[in-house]
Amino acid sequence: MTGPGTRALRVGDRALLVELRDGAETEAFHAELLRRRAAGTLPAVREIVPAARTVLLDGVADPERLAAELRGWVPGPVPARVGGALVIPVRYDGPDLVEVAALWGMSVEAAVRVHTAAEFRVAFCGFAPGFGYLTGLGERYAVPRRATPRTAVPAGSVALAGAYTGVYPRSSPGGWQLIGTTDTVLWDAGREPAALLAPGVRVRFTDAGLPGRDRYSGAAGPSGDGADAEGGR
């Protein structure tokens, strides 16, 4: 199925929880499931739910048989994305942007270039309806969560935690580092689909600027853009 340590656990009568070693392995396994389902070679599964290091297979007719079949799988590479990415304009005005730039060892302007240069992918969703965990920056740009979470993060806040980028779809408590804001509506119960982000969706962030104000709120991180400033992947 995958590397050592991977296992499929029964969850109730009709589900399997597949535990994997890391995010990359989980992404490859999830892609393999979707590939086989599209080809008609995946046994009947009602729902496939990826997370950081697990994939839940729900509505499985014969979990024991599927678990045995998974052991022989060798997932292929994650397929190249086709079609365009979802573009989310961002005003890079977040209160933690200067701190993030300092953690990355570059100026605020360079940090914004890093974030807008990367192409992201929704690895999984959770926390709140419409909230996607986006990969694309890599471990080089991982940042810690705040020691003290905020009691209320505004809707539309673009934030970082670990190696993930996320956008808060509604106001809620949160401990992620806030680097900007967007007017893009991530969750709308009256829209079909209600969630703009779903696992596998590609995303790019663009710099919407700050009309009438100093760029990036006049913030300045450490001097020197450095070679890393041009690449976020």
Side-chain angles (χ1 to χ4, degrees), residues 132-223:
Y133 291 76
L134 280 63
T135 58
L137 286 177
E139 291 297 330
R140 158 68 178 86
Y141 297 106
V143 297
R145 288 171 170 79
R146 294 181 59 81
T148 303
R150 293 179 170 92
T151 57
V153 175
S157 294
V158 179
L160 308 177
Y164 295 112
T165 291
V167 182
Y168 284 76
R170 62 186 182 188
S171 179
S172 64
W176 288 36
Q177 306 282 358
L178 308 184
I179 63 171
T181 53
T182 181
D183 295 326
T184 302
V185 177
L186 277 295
W187 173 265
D188 181 353
R191 182 176 60 197
E192 182 58 42
L196 200 59
L197 301 180
V201 170
R202 295 161 53 213
V203 177
R204 297 194 73 97
F205 295 98
T206 61
D207 183 1
L210 299 169
R213 299 171 58 189
D214 290 340
R215 198 162 180 80
Y216 314 128
S217 301
S223 61

Side-chain angles (χ1 to χ4, degrees), residues 10 19 25 27 43 52 74-76 79 89 112 125 138-139 141 148 177-178 190 198-199 211 214 218:
R10 286 286 299 270
E19 296 181 340
E25 194 172 85
E27 182 177 354
V74 179
V112 171
C125 297
E139 291 297 330
Y141 297 106
T148 303
Q177 306 282 358
L178 308 184
D214 290 340

